[in-house]
Amino acid sequence: MCRRIAAGNWKMNGVAADLGEVSAIADAAQDTTCEVVLCLPATLLPQAGARNLPKALKLGGQDCHVETNGAYTGDISAEMLAEVGAKYVIVGHSERRQFHGESDAQIAAKARAAWDAGLTAIICIGETEEQYRAGRTLEVLDRQIAGSLPQNATSENTVLAYEPIWAIGTGLTPSLAEVSAIHTHLRTRLPDETIAILYGGSVNAKNADKIMNLENVDGSLVGGASLTVAKFTPIIKALEATK
Ligand code: 13P
């Protein structure tokens, strides 16, 4: 049995004025037995922690460095995230791979750094539109899994998120049949088959129930629709309904 997780990725969005949404999402999280996670900008983590939110909401970071400390201007370590209350950290998001040139090997090292700090690593993989159109999706995902998922990953320390890059923030998604086939394939590639596999890319209140109902989809990683309680709650409820 896999963990069931509704995770929000706020990306570079959110200032103190938005903490009311975090509190409201924490309240909504109390109505589900699924794990609800918000990966906030690092600046908001201590402020969210200071609110004594309901424990049903878990907090996460969006990236971490491979080292615990050192001369790495602008970076943040997994230990630092854990200290301010994070339980999860996203590693290898396509926006990090694309805009920061992160390699599979670096992402695997980040996942191990996350584990060392006691965090669950949400490891992201996904193909570009060009690779999708060329029918290379599974080949690309296999390569990313082989390179960025450490062999000793377990369902306790790791969550896999499949996010087709062309579906992120576009309103486009693969067909249900495609998501189902891809997730079923991914399951066979995991070192521990009980690792939760999340789908991400334009998940919203309208499509969440159908996607969350697919076999081998254990939850979602949500960008834009996780920014407000009004948009995120239906996605949490869609996952809860599939139990
Ligand atoms: P959207 O839900 O905004 O498409 O973003 C998905 C994503 O990148 C989550 O990590």
Side-chain angles (χ1 to χ4, degrees):
M1 185 68 185
C2 295
R3 295 158 80 169
R4 314 275 298 155
I5 303 170
N9 173 11
W10 274 29
K11 307 191 180 187
M12 197 172 72
N13 297 292
V15 292
D18 301 305
L19 285 166
E21 293 294 336
V22 176
S23 295
I25 290 168
D27 288 340
Q30 297 191 101
D31 296 333
T32 174
T33 56
C34 302
E35 292 174 57
V36 182
V37 181
L38 276 185
C39 295
L40 297 172
T43 49
L44 285 187
L45 288 172
Q47 299 186 64
R51 293 196 150 213
N52 290 321
L53 299 172
K55 295 209 180 335
L57 177 70
K58 301 284 187 286
L59 299 175
Q62 299 175 8
D63 177 50
C64 65
H65 197 273
V66 300
E67 302 290 346
T68 50
N69 62 280
Y72 303 104
T73 302
D75 278 312
I76 190 157
S77 72
E79 202 171 54
M80 292 169 178
L81 294 171
E83 186 183 41
V84 291
K87 302 286 183 222
Y88 292 76
V89 63
I90 296 170
V91 296
H93 191 281
S94 60
E95 288 149 17
R96 299 292 312 178
R97 292 178 186 258
Q98 187 182 348
F99 304 133
H100 298 265
E102 293 189 5
S103 67
D104 284 329
Q106 273 174 307
I107 292 157
K110 288 181 177 206
R112 284 189 287 265
W115 301 346
D116 288 347
L119 303 181
T120 296
I122 303 176
I123 302 177
C124 300
I125 58 171
E127 82 284 6
T128 64
E129 182 173 10
E130 193 185 354
Q131 291 162 338
Y132 170 73
R133 287 191 189 283
R136 292 181 48 214
T137 298
L138 296 184
E139 166 208 325
V140 169
L141 299 180
D142 282 354
R143 196 177 64 232
Q144 290 176 333
I145 287 198
S148 54
L149 203 84
Q151 265 310 305
N152 50 345
T154 69
S155 59
E156 288 297 310
N157 62 24
T158 300
V159 173
L160 184 70
Y162 166 55
E163 299 202 307
I165 296 171
W166 54 273
I168 295 176
T170 59
L172 303 172
T173 60
S175 68
L176 293 174
E178 285 172 320
V179 176
S180 179
I182 291 165
H183 277 239
T184 301
H185 173 87
L186 294 175
R187 175 80 61 216
T188 68
R189 292 296 189 269
L190 295 176
D192 168 352
E193 64 177 17
T194 64
I195 288 174
I197 310 176
L198 313 185
Y199 170 79
S202 294
V203 176
N204 58 39
K206 285 205 179 110
N207 62 23
D209 58 340
K210 290 197 183 65
I211 298 174
M212 294 308 110
N213 250 313
L214 297 171
E215 207 181 334
N216 292 315
V217 174
D218 305 307
S220 54
L221 181 57
V222 185
S226 73
L227 293 172
T228 63
V229 68
K231 288 184 177 164
F232 199 31
T233 304
I235 296 170
I236 299 169
K237 283 198 186 330
L239 182 62
E240 171 75 12
T242 62
K243 266 205 292 85

